[in-house]
Amino acid sequence: QVQLVESGGGSVQPGGSLRLSCVASGIDLILYSVGWYRQAPGKQREFVADIDTSDDTRYADSVKGRFTISRENAKNSVALQMNSLTPEDTAVYSCHVELMGTVIEFWGQGTPVTVSS
């Protein structure tokens, strides 16, 4: 059974940092492209960042220079380091993995991030 568990969310003041983690069980994450998405209250889910099996990364323009996605292969996880957070970053952050070239994909349940003073 495949399971993705996100952690690391919470409340932080503007300018602060959080590190999210997406830990997988039942699959080997190095074989998958892994992405982070977020959904703010009343808004559609949006892409944040992803990392492919070659460790190439992409970022949404809104987070470039502030967020960093990376693999933690020893933990079978992918991290999202978020710095210089603003209230606009408030959302539920979810992990998504897909096996490229197939329809195989999985979503985590999400971890909430609140940025406020």
Side-chain angles (χ1 to χ4, degrees), residues 2-25:
V2 177
Q3 192 172 20
L4 300 176
V5 178
E6 300 98 332
S7 63
S11 296
V12 64
Q13 292 186 338
S17 298
L18 286 173
R19 185 176 179 86
L20 307 184
S21 181
C22 171
V23 179
S25 58

Side-chain angles (χ1 to χ4, degrees), residues 4-7 9 20-21 36-37 91-95 107-113:
L4 300 176
V5 178
E6 300 98 332
S7 63
L20 307 184
S21 181
W36 285 95
Y37 290 75
V92 175
Y93 286 71
S94 299
C95 176
W107 285 94
Q109 291 299 307
T111 184
V113 170

Side-chain angles (χ1 to χ4, degrees), residues 74-116:
K75 301 177 183 179
N76 202 30
S77 68
V78 168
L80 183 69
Q81 177 67 41
M82 307 188 297
N83 298 328
S84 302
L85 287 162
T86 74
E88 288 68 37
D89 296 314
T90 295
V92 175
Y93 286 71
S94 299
C95 176
H96 173 258
V97 303
E98 59 180 319
L99 189 62
M100 300 307 293
T102 75
V103 297
I104 298 173
E105 63 173 353
F106 305 98
W107 285 94
Q109 291 299 307
T111 184
V113 170
T114 302
V115 185
S116 70

